[in-house]
Amino acid sequence: LHAALTEDFGFQNILWVYSGRRGIHCWVCDPSARKLSGQARSAVAEYLQLVTGGDQVTRKVNLKGESGVHPSVDRAVDIIKSAFQKLCLEDQDILAEGRWNKVLDLIGDTDLREDLDKIMNRNNSSFTRWNEMTSKVS
């Protein structure tokens, strides 16, 4: 998000705040950002939005832009690539037994989601599950 705000929109004065209850908030303090209309602010937020839905609606991930993968997704992959295995697969164990459904629920393609669920059931670690998932979708 920080890279997109600085590189795509040219904002420089950005403050990240953790509120505790409601997660992380971003305050963009540039005068140009503060003068944006509500419609322009919404357009920036929509540009950065990858997950749709909410507490009462099934969440879905949209990684596609108009001409393929959204540029901010490519950039995010480059940023996280070196730390992903340790941070997400080992430390957070995001694909552990009972947790992988939260990841799979973000996939809109029902057939793919069902195929990946079978992969999850036949493996026993986040690392092997991730490797098989990426092989399936590559």
Side-chain angles (χ1 to χ4, degrees), residues 84-85 88-90 92-101 103-104 107 115-138:
F84 182 80
Q85 181 177 331
C88 298
L89 299 180
E90 294 174 20
Q92 296 179 10
D93 204 11
I94 63 170
L95 297 176
E97 188 75 33
R99 288 187 181 170
W100 73 67
N101 285 328
V103 175
L104 296 185
I107 299 170
D115 288 348
L116 292 175
D117 190 52
K118 291 174 187 166
I119 288 171
M120 298 295 148
N121 279 305
R122 71 174 177 246
N123 288 289
N124 60 4
S125 76
S126 282
F127 182 74
T128 56
R129 288 176 177 131
W130 178 256
N131 285 337
E132 284 211 39
M133 274 181 64
T134 56
S135 295
K136 174 77 176 164
V137 298
S138 296

Side-chain angles (χ1 to χ4, degrees), residues 4 10 12 14 19 21 38 44 47-48 51 59 83 95 109 116 127:
Q12 296 176 349
I14 299 170
S19 71
R21 278 187 18 178
V44 171
Y47 174 83
L48 297 170
V51 178
R59 293 179 189 203
L95 297 176
D109 182 325
L116 292 175
F127 182 74

